[in-house]
Amino acid sequence: MMQVFLPAKASMHSAISSKRPRAILMSALVFPGTGHLLLGRKRRGALFAVPALIALLLIIRNIIERTDAVMAQINSGALPLDVQLITEKVAAMSANDGPGMTIAVGVLVACWIAALLDLLWLK
């Protein structure tokens, strides 16, 4: 019986090709860069995951600050427990976010799209 050994590059290429659909789903549905990590491409995965994680943390911090401000007004009695008034207050606070929140959301979306495109074009 004859055994066939594939060169290292061909073997790696076939391993990547077989995991690619799962990697694309991981990056699309879980977080940018997770598909790259699944394929063993840690540096490339970090290239997408780190900025996306920083942006996500900034977004979450902003949301928590907003929630704390609204809750403080509700607890003090300055803002009644009315869904419409609370919604208007949150909308007014969102209008004053400045460019930081817009940039953070843009970075998160850009990392997500770039990670997916990179996985599609990965050889």
Side-chain angles (χ1 to χ4, degrees), residues 27-57:
S27 266
L29 301 176
V30 178
F31 201 73
T34 54
H36 292 83
L37 296 176
L38 177 71
L39 295 176
R41 301 204 173 208
K42 294 176 184 171
R43 286 187 182 174
R44 253 185 146 141
L47 179 70
F48 298 111
V50 170
L53 184 61
I54 292 169
L56 183 63
L57 291 174

Side-chain angles (χ1 to χ4, degrees), residues 55 63 70 77 91:
I63 291 170
V70 170

Side-chain angles (χ1 to χ4, degrees), residues 82-122:
D82 179 17
V83 174
Q84 182 65 32
L85 292 175
I86 293 171
T87 302
E88 290 172 3
K89 182 67 176 176
V90 170
M93 293 171 84
S94 298
N96 297 327
D97 276 342
M101 187 70 153
T102 304
I103 291 171
V105 170
V107 166
L108 182 60
V109 170
C111 286
W112 223 304
I113 292 170
L116 285 172
L117 292 176
D118 187 57
L119 283 172
L120 289 171
W121 293 327
L122 190 65

